[in-house]
Amino acid sequence: MKAGTNMMIAGKIVYVFVLLILTMVMRLAGNSSSVLVMTVGNSSVLTCPVKGNLTMLTWRITPTAGGLCTLVYRVDKNATHRTTCSDNIDWTFRAGLPPALEIQQVGIAQEGNYTCEMVSTEGNFHISHYLTVLAPPRLSLSCDEQGSPVCEAVAGKPPAQLSWVPEGSSTAEEKCHDNGTVTVLSKFTACSTNVTNVTICMVSHPAGNWSQSIACCPSEKISTNVFLYACIITCILIIITLLAVIYYFKLHSDRPCHKTKPPDIAPIHSQQDDTMEVEPYTTYVQKENVIYNSMSDLTVGQNLPQDLCSGT
């Protein structure tokens, strides 16, 4: 009796173990993963292959940036439920087929992991997809101030690859944006007058390939700039020269003036002037003679003897 009980217990253990192994095998057989690639602006429908009679279907979306999004469909109630999902993601129902997940005008924000979980009469299954979103760059080709062609692949995901025809030296740089896109700028520097002036920029990207051509080497803008620079330099030199001349004259005008002494001019004497100058002198001499004679007579009179004076 005890032996029979032990056999029954052992049989149940083996049965449970086999069921566990079968469940694991079925889940492994039903589980799969894949990579989906979509381009910005396109639409797509994701389906789950259902085995047996479907009971419940759930999509779990985990974007690379943002929160978890879930969409649930219950067959018994024919009802759907969704949480924190963007407006461009929703169910789509088709006649005779289980509901599928539709993504309209996919954007970079929808990139991430998409997992479909199915509950049916044959067990539980799930399929995972990783959605990769490609953003084709905007091609821009122009000439810079030095007359060199500049090619720019704006906001591409992943970064674009740029090349030139004809081949030559070039410099490239990348600028990353917050939304995950990258702008690539390449400048073609090998300009030569021995080859054609037309250069072609070629863009390679998983979303497509593009090319544009431009002719800007040698550039007419360079000649215009050289002429402009020459005019500016000439005007500056003229202004400097004028300022120097003004400063020179101002410096010399501030010095004291040395006037030249006029030459002595001999006065012109007329005969009348000589006569006018001589007459005062003659009058003066005559007056002096009269005074002298008077004084002489007086002196003589005082010195003579008295008898002489009376006889006189």
Side-chain angles (χ1 to χ4, degrees):
M1 186 75 179
K2 187 176 181 179
T5 303
N6 291 337
M7 289 293 295
M8 291 179 61
I9 294 174
K12 290 182 179 180
I13 293 174
V14 172
Y15 179 75
V16 172
F17 182 75
V18 170
L19 288 178
L20 290 175
I21 292 176
L22 291 175
T23 302
M24 292 178 63
V25 170
M26 291 179 66
R27 287 186 176 183
L28 290 174
N31 295 343
S32 63
S33 61
S34 62
V35 177
L36 303 177
V37 179
M38 295 180 63
T39 303
V40 171
N42 292 345
S43 300
S44 181
V45 175
L46 305 182
T47 60
C48 289
V50 179
K51 295 181 179 181
N53 295 325
L54 183 64
T55 302
M56 186 171 65
L57 183 62
T58 303
W59 277 98
R60 299 184 184 276
I61 304 171
T62 307
T64 54
L68 176 66
C69 162
T70 58
L71 293 94
V72 181
Y73 172 69
R74 293 189 58 172
V75 177
D76 58 344
K77 295 183 178 181
N78 192 23
T80 61
H81 177 71
R82 56 183 293 159
T83 59
T84 63
C85 297
S86 57
D87 295 335
N88 62 334
I89 298 177
D90 204 350
W91 292 105
T92 178
F93 295 91
R94 301 166 296 175
L97 296 174
L101 183 69
E102 183 178 13
I103 306 174
Q104 296 181 350
Q105 296 182 350
V106 65
I108 297 176
Q110 278 74 57
E111 187 174 71
N113 190 48
Y114 290 69
T115 302
C116 175
E117 298 178 354
M118 297 167 289
V119 178
S120 68
T121 56
E122 295 188 9
N124 298 336
F125 308 91
H126 77 272
I127 299 176
S128 297
H129 305 282
Y130 187 84
L131 177 62
T132 298
V133 180
L134 303 179
R138 301 186 304 272
L139 179 59
S140 174
L141 186 59
S142 60
C143 302
D144 64 3
E145 295 180 354
Q146 288 73 36
S148 299
V150 177
C151 188
E152 192 173 14
V154 182
K157 183 180 179 303
Q161 301 294 325
L162 304 182
S163 59
W164 294 92
V165 177
E167 295 182 356
S169 61
S170 61
T171 58
E173 60 181 21
E174 294 183 357
K175 180 181 179 182
C176 299
H177 305 286
D178 295 337
N179 60 356
T181 60
V182 180
T183 296
V184 182
L185 186 144
S186 178
K187 181 177 180 180
F188 187 76
T189 56
C191 279
S192 174
T193 57
N194 298 327
V195 297
T196 178
N197 295 334
V198 178
T199 51
I200 302 174
C201 176
M202 303 182 67
V203 179
S204 299
H205 192 267
N209 299 321
W210 304 271
S211 64
Q212 284 187 11
S213 62
I214 195 171
C216 54
C217 183
S219 173
E220 296 179 357
K221 193 172 183 179
I222 295 179
S223 302
T224 304
N225 290 339
V226 171
F227 177 75
L228 179 61
Y229 294 151
C231 291
I232 293 175
I233 293 174
T234 303
C235 293
I236 292 175
L237 292 176
I238 292 174
I239 293 173
I240 293 174
T241 304
L242 292 175
L243 292 176
V245 171
I246 294 172
Y247 178 76
Y248 175 81
F249 282 105
K250 184 177 180 181
L251 181 64
H252 285 73
S253 64
D254 291 341
R255 293 184 177 181
C257 298
H258 299 281
K259 297 182 178 180
T260 306
K261 185 178 180 180
D264 295 337
I265 301 175
I268 302 173
H269 299 281
S270 61
Q271 186 176 2
Q272 183 179 0
D273 293 338
D274 293 339
T275 305
M276 293 177 64
E277 291 178 0
V278 172
E279 287 179 354
Y281 179 74
T282 305
T283 306
Y284 175 77
V285 173
Q286 291 176 355
K287 290 181 179 180
E288 289 290 327
N289 291 335
V290 172
I291 295 171
Y292 179 77
N293 292 333
S294 300
M295 291 297 293
S296 299
D297 295 342
L298 180 60
T299 302
V300 174
Q302 289 178 357
N303 292 332
L304 290 177
Q306 186 174 5
D307 53 355
L308 291 176
C309 293
S310 59
T312 306

